[in-house]
mmCIF file of all heavy atoms in Angstrom:
data_model
loop_
_atom_site.group_PDB
_atom_site.id
_atom_site.type_symbol
_atom_site.label_atom_id
_atom_site.label_comp_id
_atom_site.label_asym_id
_atom_site.label_seq_id
_atom_site.Cartn_x
_atom_site.Cartn_y
_atom_site.Cartn_z
ATOM 1 N N SER A 1 13.905 13.340 6.852
ATOM 2 C CA SER A 1 13.476 13.820 5.534
ATOM 3 C C SER A 1 13.661 12.747 4.474
ATOM 4 O O SER A 1 12.798 12.574 3.596
ATOM 5 C CB SER A 1 14.265 15.077 5.160
ATOM 6 O OG SER A 1 14.021 16.120 6.077
ATOM 7 N N ALA A 2 14.773 12.000 4.569
ATOM 8 C CA ALA A 2 15.010 10.930 3.601
ATOM 9 C C ALA A 2 13.973 9.822 3.743
ATOM 10 O O ALA A 2 13.480 9.287 2.737
ATOM 11 C CB ALA A 2 16.424 10.368 3.787
ATOM 12 N N ILE A 3 13.624 9.492 4.986
ATOM 13 C CA ILE A 3 12.600 8.460 5.218
ATOM 14 C C ILE A 3 11.244 8.930 4.699
ATOM 15 O O ILE A 3 10.512 8.166 4.049
ATOM 16 C CB ILE A 3 12.524 8.119 6.717
ATOM 17 C CG1 ILE A 3 13.820 7.436 7.166
ATOM 18 C CG2 ILE A 3 11.330 7.218 7.007
ATOM 19 C CD1 ILE A 3 13.897 7.185 8.659
ATOM 20 N N GLU A 4 10.916 10.191 4.995
ATOM 21 C CA GLU A 4 9.640 10.743 4.495
ATOM 22 C C GLU A 4 9.608 10.735 2.978
ATOM 23 O O GLU A 4 8.573 10.414 2.371
ATOM 24 C CB GLU A 4 9.446 12.154 5.030
ATOM 25 C CG GLU A 4 9.156 12.221 6.522
ATOM 26 C CD GLU A 4 9.014 13.644 7.008
ATOM 27 O OE1 GLU A 4 9.364 14.566 6.228
ATOM 28 O OE2 GLU A 4 8.560 13.852 8.151
ATOM 29 N N LEU A 5 10.733 11.090 2.343
ATOM 30 C CA LEU A 5 10.800 11.093 0.884
ATOM 31 C C LEU A 5 10.645 9.672 0.336
ATOM 32 O O LEU A 5 9.966 9.455 -0.670
ATOM 33 C CB LEU A 5 12.128 11.697 0.439
ATOM 34 C CG LEU A 5 12.337 11.856 -1.069
ATOM 35 C CD1 LEU A 5 11.306 12.819 -1.648
ATOM 36 C CD2 LEU A 5 13.747 12.362 -1.367
ATOM 37 N N PHE A 6 11.258 8.698 1.021
ATOM 38 C CA PHE A 6 11.159 7.305 0.577
ATOM 39 C C PHE A 6 9.718 6.816 0.651
ATOM 40 O O PHE A 6 9.203 6.221 -0.308
ATOM 41 C CB PHE A 6 12.070 6.429 1.439
ATOM 42 C CG PHE A 6 11.927 4.959 1.168
ATOM 43 C CD1 PHE A 6 12.458 4.395 0.026
ATOM 44 C CD2 PHE A 6 11.240 4.132 2.067
ATOM 45 C CE1 PHE A 6 12.318 3.028 -0.224
ATOM 46 C CE2 PHE A 6 11.104 2.780 1.823
ATOM 47 C CZ PHE A 6 11.637 2.221 0.671
ATOM 48 N N PHE A 7 9.060 7.066 1.785
ATOM 49 C CA PHE A 7 7.665 6.629 1.925
ATOM 50 C C PHE A 7 6.740 7.389 0.976
ATOM 51 O O PHE A 7 5.744 6.834 0.504
ATOM 52 C CB PHE A 7 7.209 6.793 3.370
ATOM 53 C CG PHE A 7 7.646 5.673 4.268
ATOM 54 C CD1 PHE A 7 8.678 5.851 5.185
ATOM 55 C CD2 PHE A 7 7.045 4.425 4.207
ATOM 56 C CE1 PHE A 7 9.091 4.814 6.007
ATOM 57 C CE2 PHE A 7 7.446 3.382 5.026
ATOM 58 C CZ PHE A 7 8.476 3.573 5.920
ATOM 59 N N HIS A 8 7.068 8.636 0.723
ATOM 60 C CA HIS A 8 6.272 9.387 -0.258
ATOM 61 C C HIS A 8 6.410 8.761 -1.641
ATOM 62 O O HIS A 8 5.423 8.645 -2.386
ATOM 63 C CB HIS A 8 6.743 10.844 -0.287
ATOM 64 C CG HIS A 8 6.044 11.682 -1.314
ATOM 65 N ND1 HIS A 8 4.742 12.104 -1.164
ATOM 66 C CD2 HIS A 8 6.465 12.167 -2.515
ATOM 67 C CE1 HIS A 8 4.385 12.819 -2.209
ATOM 68 N NE2 HIS A 8 5.409 12.863 -3.055
ATOM 69 N N TRP A 9 7.636 8.330 -1.976
ATOM 70 C CA TRP A 9 7.846 7.671 -3.260
ATOM 71 C C TRP A 9 7.106 6.341 -3.312
ATOM 72 O O TRP A 9 6.486 6.006 -4.330
ATOM 73 C CB TRP A 9 9.349 7.456 -3.466
ATOM 74 C CG TRP A 9 9.684 6.779 -4.753
ATOM 75 C CD1 TRP A 9 9.767 7.337 -5.992
ATOM 76 C CD2 TRP A 9 9.980 5.390 -4.914
ATOM 77 N NE1 TRP A 9 10.097 6.393 -6.927
ATOM 78 C CE2 TRP A 9 10.238 5.171 -6.301
ATOM 79 C CE3 TRP A 9 10.069 4.307 -4.044
ATOM 80 C CZ2 TRP A 9 10.564 3.936 -6.815
ATOM 81 C CZ3 TRP A 9 10.402 3.061 -4.560
ATOM 82 C CH2 TRP A 9 10.648 2.874 -5.922
ATOM 83 N N ILE A 10 7.160 5.564 -2.209
ATOM 84 C CA ILE A 10 6.440 4.282 -2.151
ATOM 85 C C ILE A 10 4.936 4.513 -2.302
ATOM 86 O O ILE A 10 4.244 3.794 -3.036
ATOM 87 C CB ILE A 10 6.741 3.557 -0.822
ATOM 88 C CG1 ILE A 10 8.213 3.109 -0.773
ATOM 89 C CG2 ILE A 10 5.814 2.354 -0.634
ATOM 90 C CD1 ILE A 10 8.560 2.041 -1.781
ATOM 91 N N LEU A 11 4.414 5.505 -1.581
ATOM 92 C CA LEU A 11 2.984 5.804 -1.657
ATOM 93 C C LEU A 11 2.582 6.214 -3.068
ATOM 94 O O LEU A 11 1.527 5.798 -3.578
ATOM 95 C CB LEU A 11 2.642 6.906 -0.657
ATOM 96 C CG LEU A 11 1.160 7.311 -0.564
ATOM 97 C CD1 LEU A 11 0.310 6.117 -0.131
ATOM 98 C CD2 LEU A 11 0.975 8.466 0.408
ATOM 99 N N THR A 12 3.429 7.018 -3.713
ATOM 100 C CA THR A 12 3.139 7.433 -5.088
ATOM 101 C C THR A 12 3.108 6.228 -6.019
ATOM 102 O O THR A 12 2.223 6.117 -6.885
ATOM 103 C CB THR A 12 4.201 8.440 -5.563
ATOM 104 O OG1 THR A 12 4.238 9.561 -4.670
ATOM 105 C CG2 THR A 12 3.889 8.933 -6.966
ATOM 106 N N CYS A 13 4.049 5.310 -5.833
ATOM 107 C CA CYS A 13 4.078 4.092 -6.667
ATOM 108 C C CYS A 13 2.841 3.219 -6.433
ATOM 109 O O CYS A 13 2.262 2.675 -7.378
ATOM 110 C CB CYS A 13 5.346 3.295 -6.383
ATOM 111 S SG CYS A 13 6.861 4.099 -6.936
ATOM 112 N N LEU A 14 2.430 3.111 -5.156
ATOM 113 C CA LEU A 14 1.253 2.303 -4.851
ATOM 114 C C LEU A 14 -0.010 2.904 -5.456
ATOM 115 O O LEU A 14 -0.869 2.188 -5.984
ATOM 116 C CB LEU A 14 1.102 2.160 -3.329
ATOM 117 C CG LEU A 14 2.151 1.289 -2.627
ATOM 118 C CD1 LEU A 14 1.949 1.333 -1.120
ATOM 119 C CD2 LEU A 14 2.081 -0.157 -3.128
ATOM 120 N N ILE A 15 -0.116 4.225 -5.358
ATOM 121 C CA ILE A 15 -1.281 4.880 -5.957
ATOM 122 C C ILE A 15 -1.285 4.679 -7.460
ATOM 123 O O ILE A 15 -2.332 4.403 -8.076
ATOM 124 C CB ILE A 15 -1.280 6.382 -5.594
ATOM 125 C CG1 ILE A 15 -1.504 6.562 -4.087
ATOM 126 C CG2 ILE A 15 -2.345 7.130 -6.385
ATOM 127 C CD1 ILE A 15 -1.390 8.006 -3.617
ATOM 128 N N TRP A 16 -0.086 4.813 -8.082
ATOM 129 C CA TRP A 16 0.002 4.610 -9.527
ATOM 130 C C TRP A 16 -0.361 3.171 -9.881
ATOM 131 O O TRP A 16 -1.097 2.920 -10.841
ATOM 132 C CB TRP A 16 1.422 4.931 -9.983
ATOM 133 C CG TRP A 16 1.648 4.672 -11.448
ATOM 134 C CD1 TRP A 16 1.329 5.480 -12.492
ATOM 135 C CD2 TRP A 16 2.237 3.490 -12.016
ATOM 136 N NE1 TRP A 16 1.681 4.898 -13.676
ATOM 137 C CE2 TRP A 16 2.241 3.668 -13.419
ATOM 138 C CE3 TRP A 16 2.751 2.315 -11.467
ATOM 139 C CZ2 TRP A 16 2.757 2.713 -14.284
ATOM 140 C CZ3 TRP A 16 3.268 1.358 -12.329
ATOM 141 C CH2 TRP A 16 3.266 1.558 -13.716
ATOM 142 N N LEU A 17 0.145 2.203 -9.096
ATOM 143 C CA LEU A 17 -0.145 0.794 -9.361
ATOM 144 C C LEU A 17 -1.632 0.498 -9.180
ATOM 145 O O LEU A 17 -2.238 -0.252 -9.963
ATOM 146 C CB LEU A 17 0.685 -0.085 -8.428
ATOM 147 C CG LEU A 17 0.583 -1.600 -8.631
ATOM 148 C CD1 LEU A 17 1.059 -1.977 -10.029
ATOM 149 C CD2 LEU A 17 1.396 -2.340 -7.579
ATOM 150 N N LYS A 18 -2.229 1.115 -8.145
ATOM 151 C CA LYS A 18 -3.652 0.916 -7.914
ATOM 152 C C LYS A 18 -4.470 1.440 -9.085
ATOM 153 O O LYS A 18 -5.424 0.782 -9.550
ATOM 154 C CB LYS A 18 -4.063 1.625 -6.625
ATOM 155 C CG LYS A 18 -5.555 1.566 -6.340
ATOM 156 C CD LYS A 18 -5.915 2.420 -5.132
ATOM 157 C CE LYS A 18 -7.431 2.459 -4.935
ATOM 158 N NZ LYS A 18 -7.810 3.363 -3.807
ATOM 159 N N ASN A 19 -4.110 2.614 -9.583
ATOM 160 C CA ASN A 19 -4.833 3.190 -10.716
ATOM 161 C C ASN A 19 -4.682 2.338 -11.968
ATOM 162 O O ASN A 19 -5.635 2.147 -12.735
ATOM 163 C CB ASN A 19 -4.333 4.615 -10.990
ATOM 164 C CG ASN A 19 -4.695 5.577 -9.877
ATOM 165 O OD1 ASN A 19 -5.672 5.374 -9.154
ATOM 166 N ND2 ASN A 19 -3.924 6.642 -9.726
ATOM 167 N N VAL A 20 -3.472 1.795 -12.168
ATOM 168 C CA VAL A 20 -3.242 0.951 -13.340
ATOM 169 C C VAL A 20 -4.073 -0.330 -13.246
ATOM 170 O O VAL A 20 -4.712 -0.760 -14.209
ATOM 171 C CB VAL A 20 -1.738 0.620 -13.466
ATOM 172 C CG1 VAL A 20 -1.516 -0.470 -14.517
ATOM 173 C CG2 VAL A 20 -0.957 1.861 -13.825
ATOM 174 N N MET A 21 -4.074 -0.928 -12.050
ATOM 175 C CA MET A 21 -4.837 -2.165 -11.867
ATOM 176 C C MET A 21 -6.332 -1.910 -11.994
ATOM 177 O O MET A 21 -7.060 -2.710 -12.603
ATOM 178 C CB MET A 21 -4.522 -2.771 -10.505
ATOM 179 C CG MET A 21 -3.096 -3.295 -10.377
ATOM 180 S SD MET A 21 -2.774 -4.009 -8.765
ATOM 181 C CE MET A 21 -3.903 -5.405 -8.789
ATOM 182 N N ALA A 22 -6.803 -0.809 -11.418
ATOM 183 C CA ALA A 22 -8.231 -0.491 -11.518
ATOM 184 C C ALA A 22 -8.628 -0.267 -12.964
ATOM 185 O O ALA A 22 -9.689 -0.728 -13.417
ATOM 186 C CB ALA A 22 -8.540 0.744 -10.675
ATOM 187 N N PHE A 23 -7.747 0.422 -13.711
ATOM 188 C CA PHE A 23 -8.036 0.664 -15.124
ATOM 189 C C PHE A 23 -8.046 -0.655 -15.899
ATOM 190 O O PHE A 23 -8.891 -0.867 -16.769
ATOM 191 C CB PHE A 23 -6.989 1.619 -15.700
ATOM 192 C CG PHE A 23 -7.137 1.868 -17.164
ATOM 193 C CD1 PHE A 23 -8.107 2.742 -17.645
ATOM 194 C CD2 PHE A 23 -6.305 1.220 -18.076
ATOM 195 C CE1 PHE A 23 -8.245 2.954 -19.003
ATOM 196 C CE2 PHE A 23 -6.446 1.444 -19.427
ATOM 197 C CZ PHE A 23 -7.417 2.308 -19.899
ATOM 198 N N SER A 24 -7.093 -1.550 -15.567
ATOM 199 C CA SER A 24 -7.010 -2.834 -16.277
ATOM 200 C C SER A 24 -8.236 -3.694 -15.993
ATOM 201 O O SER A 24 -8.804 -4.304 -16.915
ATOM 202 C CB SER A 24 -5.742 -3.579 -15.851
ATOM 203 O OG SER A 24 -4.596 -2.801 -16.126
ATOM 204 N N VAL A 25 -8.649 -3.768 -14.715
ATOM 205 C CA VAL A 25 -9.823 -4.568 -14.359
ATOM 206 C C VAL A 25 -11.073 -4.014 -15.027
ATOM 207 O O VAL A 25 -11.912 -4.761 -15.553
ATOM 208 C CB VAL A 25 -9.996 -4.604 -12.823
ATOM 209 C CG1 VAL A 25 -11.327 -5.239 -12.444
ATOM 210 C CG2 VAL A 25 -8.841 -5.359 -12.180
ATOM 211 N N LYS A 26 -11.192 -2.687 -15.017
ATOM 212 C CA LYS A 26 -12.361 -2.060 -15.642
ATOM 213 C C LYS A 26 -12.385 -2.344 -17.136
ATOM 214 O O LYS A 26 -13.441 -2.624 -17.723
ATOM 215 C CB LYS A 26 -12.326 -0.548 -15.388
ATOM 216 C CG LYS A 26 -13.540 0.192 -15.918
ATOM 217 C CD LYS A 26 -13.454 1.678 -15.580
ATOM 218 C CE LYS A 26 -14.665 2.421 -16.123
ATOM 219 N NZ LYS A 26 -14.574 3.882 -15.830
ATOM 220 N N THR A 27 -11.191 -2.301 -17.752
ATOM 221 C CA THR A 27 -11.111 -2.575 -19.189
ATOM 222 C C THR A 27 -11.472 -4.030 -19.480
ATOM 223 O O THR A 27 -12.193 -4.324 -20.445
ATOM 224 C CB THR A 27 -9.688 -2.277 -19.693
ATOM 225 O OG1 THR A 27 -9.349 -0.929 -19.371
ATOM 226 C CG2 THR A 27 -9.591 -2.494 -21.192
ATOM 227 N N LEU A 28 -10.997 -4.972 -18.637
ATOM 228 C CA LEU A 28 -11.313 -6.387 -18.829
ATOM 229 C C LEU A 28 -12.803 -6.648 -18.667
ATOM 230 O O LEU A 28 -13.402 -7.440 -19.398
ATOM 231 C CB LEU A 28 -10.513 -7.233 -17.844
ATOM 232 C CG LEU A 28 -8.995 -7.314 -18.091
ATOM 233 C CD1 LEU A 28 -8.317 -8.076 -16.964
ATOM 234 C CD2 LEU A 28 -8.721 -7.980 -19.434
ATOM 235 N N ILE A 29 -13.436 -5.996 -17.671
ATOM 236 C CA ILE A 29 -14.878 -6.177 -17.469
ATOM 237 C C ILE A 29 -15.648 -5.686 -18.683
ATOM 238 O O ILE A 29 -16.602 -6.331 -19.151
ATOM 239 C CB ILE A 29 -15.325 -5.441 -16.195
ATOM 240 C CG1 ILE A 29 -14.719 -6.131 -14.957
ATOM 241 C CG2 ILE A 29 -16.846 -5.393 -16.104
ATOM 242 C CD1 ILE A 29 -15.011 -5.399 -13.663
ATOM 243 N N GLN A 30 -15.216 -4.527 -19.226
ATOM 244 C CA GLN A 30 -15.903 -3.992 -20.401
ATOM 245 C C GLN A 30 -15.721 -4.918 -21.599
ATOM 246 O O GLN A 30 -16.665 -5.160 -22.360
ATOM 247 C CB GLN A 30 -15.364 -2.605 -20.717
ATOM 248 C CG GLN A 30 -15.764 -1.544 -19.693
ATOM 249 C CD GLN A 30 -15.145 -0.187 -20.010
ATOM 250 O OE1 GLN A 30 -14.260 -0.084 -20.844
ATOM 251 N NE2 GLN A 30 -15.639 0.839 -19.339
#
């Protein structure tokens, strides 16, 4: 359960980072 929680936290951070980067790139292109 602790490992699953850790990977869930990592996945959540990666998704958040991906969204931030996608938003930043889109903003720079505009």
Side-chain angles (χ1 to χ4, degrees):
S1 298
I3 293 174
E4 290 178 348
L5 183 63
F6 174 75
F7 279 106
H8 177 74
W9 180 80
I10 292 293
L11 182 61
T12 303
C13 292
L14 290 175
I15 293 175
W16 176 82
L17 184 61
K18 176 186 175 184
N19 292 334
V20 169
M21 292 180 64
F23 176 78
S24 301
V25 171
K26 184 178 179 182
T27 304
L28 290 175
I29 292 175
Q30 290 177 348

